[in-house]
Amino acid sequence: RSKGVELSANGSITENWNVIAGYSYIDAYVTEGSYYDEIGTQVPNTPRNTFSLWSTYHPIAPLTVGGGAYFRGQQIGYAGPPNEFIDSYWRFDAMAKWQIDPRFGIQLNVQNLFEKLYYSKTFYWYALPAPGRTWLVTANVKL
């Protein structure tokens, strides 16, 4: 069962500068399970707190640049003993987009900009490392 709240805000600081922020709190816990010791514990791989902040700036007509931060709170990996946890972490991302004409643009996204080692999920007694720095280049086409 989960109960919580999610808040978000977005807007423009100036005509060329946009900001989006979000926060969520989720109290998710096991009400029924296959093991008697799971009941009442936090749902695996579900952090109580997450936060994101993203900002884009449009300095000249064809160019948009942006960056942001993402926080994921501590999470339990397995509801029974020994209650393995993944520590909370911050991840920072960036992007640049060049709009060549109204129908075609090219965008570069860099995720995990500082190539921090963190774990995205845990299962029983092992954890899954999240991807390191990731570069994504996309072409945006409007037909």
Side-chain angles (χ1 to χ4, degrees):
R1 175 173 299 145
S2 65
K3 298 176 185 177
V5 63
E6 182 177 352
L7 305 169
S8 64
N10 63 55
S12 298
I13 305 238
T14 68
E15 187 177 323
N16 295 331
W17 184 12
N18 297 310
V19 177
I20 300 169
Y23 169 77
S24 69
Y25 173 83
I26 300 173
D27 184 19
Y29 54 93
V30 177
T31 59
E32 295 181 30
S34 57
Y35 299 104
Y36 67 89
D37 53 357
E38 287 182 344
I39 296 172
T41 60
Q42 184 179 347
V43 171
N45 296 307
T46 306
R48 285 201 167 97
N49 296 286
T50 60
F51 170 77
S52 65
L53 177 65
W54 185 260
S55 180
T56 59
Y57 184 67
H58 190 65
I60 58 174
L63 180 65
T64 302
V65 294
Y70 177 73
F71 171 79
R72 191 168 171 109
Q74 183 187 57
Q75 54 192 322
I76 191 170
Y78 170 62
N83 289 333
E84 298 292 329
F85 288 92
I86 295 176
D87 290 334
S88 61
Y89 64 86
W90 285 90
R91 189 189 80 208
F92 298 92
D93 302 336
M95 63 80 67
K97 178 180 178 183
W98 189 266
Q99 192 66 41
I100 294 167
D101 65 42
R103 296 181 54 205
F104 184 72
I106 295 176
Q107 184 168 327
L108 168 67
N109 287 69
V110 182
Q111 297 173 343
N112 195 2
L113 191 61
F114 302 115
E115 201 165 7
K116 179 179 174 153
L117 174 63
Y118 63 94
Y119 297 91
S120 59
K121 293 186 182 349
T122 183
F123 304 95
Y124 296 95
W125 293 278
Y126 67 92
L128 179 65
R133 184 180 304 123
T134 304
W135 300 75
L136 303 165
V137 177
T138 57
N140 303 305
V141 179
K142 293 181 184 175
L143 301 176

